[in-house]
Amino acid sequence: MLLDCVSDDKAELVLDGKKYLLPIIIGTEGERAIDIRSLRTETGHITIDSGYMNTGSCASQITFLDGEKGILNYRGYGIEDLAEHCSFVEVSYLLVHGTLPTGDELRRFRELLNLYSLIHEDMIHFFDHYPSNAPPMSILSSMVNSLSNYYPEMNENPLEDIDNMTARLISKVRTIAAFSYRKSYGSQLVMPRHDFSYCANFLNMMFDSPVKPYVVNDEVESALNKLLILHADHEQNCSTSTVRLVGSARVNLYASISAGISALWGPLHGGANMAVMDMLEEIHANGGDYKKYITKAKDRNDPFRLVGFGHRVYKNHDPRAQIIKEASEKVLKSLGVDDDPLLQIARELEDVALRDEYFVERKLYPNVDFYSGIIYRAIGIPQNMFTVMFALGRLPGWISHWREMWTDANWRIGRPRQVYVGPQRKKFVPLEDR
Ligand code: SDX
């Protein structure tokens, strides 16, 4: 069982003069957790922790992040190494299977991704009936949920065909994302190609045209590869916890992922990369006066927050933000747009914020969303698809957590408790007397 790592230490709890000793769980990297699984049975008490800032939902072998030190590892490998040396397909295999693939395993995985890169012709007609201004995250969540209709075997035996299910989803979500973009612009669909890499295929499906053939820029492909890797997993964030909670009711993979896509849509979560661009555009439109926005972000009476800054866990630099910032400078230079005013504003905003007491005191640093939108925009991806790009990256992480939960013999349906603070039992008043 994943939660076997019990320490000899105990936590002592005194309630109503009675002492209780609670086990301490110690993780591989030394994190310590008080095991309260028997708390209510033994003491009649529950704990309360809105936002789950101090509460662990599970033990996991997938991703480790240290918010104080700015460390992020997937299956033990540092993201710096993975972003530098791997393809997104390799990292997807690593997250889902737990090991980096051998040459044969990678070839087989790539073959499955190619085999599953098309979607059912009936599903293509779904796009004809979404409003042209339909939010791409809404379309993505609907289409992924609909995928499970075409594979009814998943509902009977969800784990039986897990490798095909995984490859099918990772490949088809990329196609669905590109098709939804093409359909929203009234462009004919571009089919996936068997001879393109995962990222090159996505770019080609997005931008190729019979009158202006798309040429994949190596720097752009490399930056997209890095972006997808850096978004691939992040412990029990809001959307991953959603996938686990929905999946814990024994819902099939595609329906669980569809719920995760909906959670990621939120502006406090994956929607932040779009909100960052709105913020940078607004500052640019206001003459580039970024200092005014720093002041607004610090004003407790002003709801404005510096989007792309701050993080629930990172109280040091988000290691992903550093890598994305470097990639943004390389891509914009290779595309000849390194004079992008928004990039300049982002750099100045970061520079001022990192020296300002308000941000320093609260340990607010640029997060994964602060620079990613600048790259997507330079590549030509429309802003309303930025969070879709986040979902493309996060997909293997979601799948790996769903698999881990489903294969944990001791996993149970997620069902948090609450503290009731409503009215006590009342005498019923019939309608005629109200
Ligand atoms: C992602 O969980 C994950 O791993 C998420 C993610 C992933 O990979 O899955 O990393 C992806 O979601 C990144 C975060 C994207 N969101 C944003 O960039 C939105 C802007 N950031 C904030 O809304 C905020 O920082 C959160 C939501 C990210 C974190 O919120 P918390 O942990 O609940 O922190 P908090 O709101 O309690 O803030 C603590 C203090 C408060 O000030 P005081 O009450 O102490 O005076 O810091 C302030 C906040 O007002 N603060 C900010 C701020 N973020 C926090 N002030 C100005 N600008 C900000 N961005």
Side-chain angles (χ1 to χ4, degrees), residues 9-15 18-24 34:
D9 300 341
K10 299 282 183 203
E12 183 177 303
L13 178 66
V14 179
L15 280 173
K18 191 177 173 189
K19 276 188 188 175
Y20 301 89
L21 291 178
L22 298 170
I24 300 276
I34 299 170

Side-chain angles (χ1 to χ4, degrees), residues 418-424:
Q418 63 160 32
V419 173
Y420 175 69
V421 292
Q424 292 185 307

Side-chain angles (χ1 to χ4, degrees), residues 234 237 268-269 272 297 300 305-312 320 358 362 364 367 369 390 394:
H234 214 239
N237 57 84
L268 288 188
H269 188 15
R300 294 183 73 108
R305 284 195 164 177
L306 205 55
V307 192
F309 258 74
H311 197 277
R312 171 59 57 79
R320 302 168 296 178
Y358 172 93
R362 290 166 179 79
L364 302 175
N367 59 45
D369 295 301
F390 194 143
R394 186 53 51 91

Side-chain angles (χ1 to χ4, degrees), residues 112-405:
L112 288 176
L113 290 172
N114 175 56
L115 185 66
Y116 293 129
S117 54
L118 295 168
I119 62 174
H120 196 292
E121 279 299 305
D122 289 354
M123 283 196 78
I124 292 181
H125 294 299
F126 288 19
F127 290 112
D128 299 336
H129 305 289
Y130 291 118
S132 60
N133 63 346
M137 283 298 274
S138 164
I139 294 175
L140 190 65
S141 179
S142 313
M143 293 296 277
V144 168
N145 208 350
S146 300
L147 267 180
S148 53
N149 301 327
Y150 291 82
Y151 305 97
E153 70 282 4
M154 276 182 23
N155 293 302
E156 280 83 55
N157 311 295
L159 276 181
E160 194 167 276
D161 194 14
I162 194 74
D163 286 354
N164 283 319
M165 259 165 57
T166 298
R168 190 190 293 140
L169 191 56
I170 290 175
S171 193
K172 291 183 189 297
V173 169
R174 170 194 50 185
T175 302
I176 288 167
F179 282 8
S180 75
Y181 167 71
R182 301 287 292 201
K183 276 288 186 180
S184 70
Y185 281 81
S187 310
Q188 60 181 190
L189 299 180
V190 174
M191 293 299 140
R193 290 178 45 163
H194 65 84
D195 56 336
F196 272 13
S197 73
Y198 186 91
C199 290
N201 236 328
F202 173 74
L203 292 166
N204 192 59
M205 285 194 273
M206 285 282 286
F207 304 122
D208 192 38
S209 157
V211 295
K212 190 181 179 197
Y214 181 75
V215 178
V216 179
N217 169 317
D218 292 344
E219 206 59 63
V220 168
E221 184 181 2
S222 164
L224 181 57
N225 196 55
K226 277 192 172 68
L227 279 167
L228 295 180
I229 288 171
L230 294 170
H231 283 82
D233 195 48
H234 214 239
E235 286 192 346
Q236 304 308 319
N237 57 84
C238 179
S239 53
T240 300
S241 298
T242 301
V243 170
R244 278 181 172 258
L245 188 60
V246 170
S248 73
R250 290 302 183 240
V251 170
N252 73 61
L253 175 63
Y254 295 1
S256 304
I257 297 293
S258 172
I261 293 169
S262 298
L264 188 71
W265 190 0
L268 288 188
H269 188 15
N273 56 16
M274 293 195 290
V276 166
M277 296 312 282
D278 288 338
M279 176 182 73
L280 296 176
E281 296 274 11
E282 184 182 332
I283 295 172
H284 182 48
N286 281 272
D289 180 9
Y290 56 87
K291 289 182 180 166
K292 180 178 114 183
Y293 287 83
I294 294 272
T295 307
K296 280 168 62 68
K298 291 159 59 175
D299 177 357
R300 294 183 73 108
N301 301 315
D302 189 325
F304 174 78
R305 284 195 164 177
L306 205 55
V307 192
F309 258 74
H311 197 277
R312 171 59 57 79
V313 178
Y314 286 122
K315 301 308 172 191
N316 193 323
H317 283 279
D318 181 334
R320 302 168 296 178
Q322 301 286 94
I323 299 170
I324 293 173
K325 180 180 178 182
E326 286 156 23
S328 68
E329 284 157 1
K330 279 169 99 176
V331 171
L332 269 66
K333 191 173 173 60
S334 84
L335 293 172
V337 290
D338 50 347
D339 59 348
D340 179 349
L342 300 193
L343 176 60
Q344 193 47 37
I345 290 171
R347 285 178 182 138
E348 287 164 343
L349 210 49
E350 176 187 9
D351 183 46
V352 170
L354 292 183
R355 286 185 284 115
D356 183 294
E357 190 48 39
Y358 172 93
F359 294 89
V360 172
E361 200 178 273
R362 290 166 179 79
K363 299 179 179 178
L364 302 175
Y365 294 90
N367 59 45
V368 67
D369 295 301
F370 192 62
Y371 284 101
S372 51
I374 287 171
I375 297 180
Y376 293 139
R377 182 175 112 120
I379 292 176
I381 293 168
Q383 189 167 317
N384 69 352
M385 275 194 67
F386 287 7
T387 309
V388 169
M389 300 309 295
F390 194 143
L392 269 186
R394 186 53 51 91
L395 187 55
W398 288 331
I399 294 171
S400 62
H401 282 275
W402 185 91
R403 283 181 78 152
E404 182 174 71
M405 176 192 65

